[in-house]
Amino acid sequence: MKIVVCVGSNCTMMGADSIIASLENLKETILKKEGVNPVFDLDIEIARCLGECKTKKAVSPVVVVDGVIYHNASREEIMSVVLDAAFDDIQIGRAHV
């Protein structure tokens, strides 16, 4: 999973730093626990500016998760998306009864 967090001035003022800190903490702790999908990977990238606020109003902070743009992203929303993907139970090779 690739996550890009905008750290332009608007996004930073609206909480981008909190999202980054939570993602980094998540990567260092929870994602190493048992039950996490073994093929799950978290790539966190920081972008100087994604330019979303230049074409739209009141969209900060902006976070892109695997190509999906989240406007007015909250730490809780992004953590939920990541955790849902990390703990997704892939049933490869298992029969569902």
Side-chain angles (χ1 to χ4, degrees):
M1 171 174 274
K2 182 175 181 175
I3 300 180
V4 181
V5 181
C6 180
V7 292
S9 57
N10 286 341
C11 289
T12 298
M13 287 188 324
M14 297 304 288
D17 288 344
S18 171
I19 294 170
I20 294 167
S22 292
L23 286 169
E24 289 173 347
N25 183 48
L26 187 71
K27 187 172 184 174
E28 292 174 9
T29 58
I30 294 172
L31 297 183
K32 294 182 180 178
K33 295 194 183 265
E34 189 174 325
V36 173
N37 185 332
V39 298
F40 182 81
D41 187 37
L42 184 59
D43 178 24
I44 305 164
E45 184 178 314
I46 297 170
R48 209 155 120 210
C49 183
L50 294 172
E52 287 290 306
C53 61
K54 304 217 186 318
T55 59
K56 300 171 184 80
K57 292 186 181 236
V59 296
S60 300
V62 177
V63 178
V64 180
V65 179
D66 285 341
V68 177
I69 299 171
Y70 290 83
H71 293 130
N72 300 313
S74 69
R75 185 175 51 92
E76 294 79 9
E77 176 183 33
I78 300 304
M79 293 304 107
S80 177
V81 170
V82 172
L83 289 171
D84 284 350
F87 288 96
D88 186 26
D89 186 21
I90 297 178
Q91 300 290 328
I92 298 174
R94 295 186 192 169
H96 293 282
V97 194

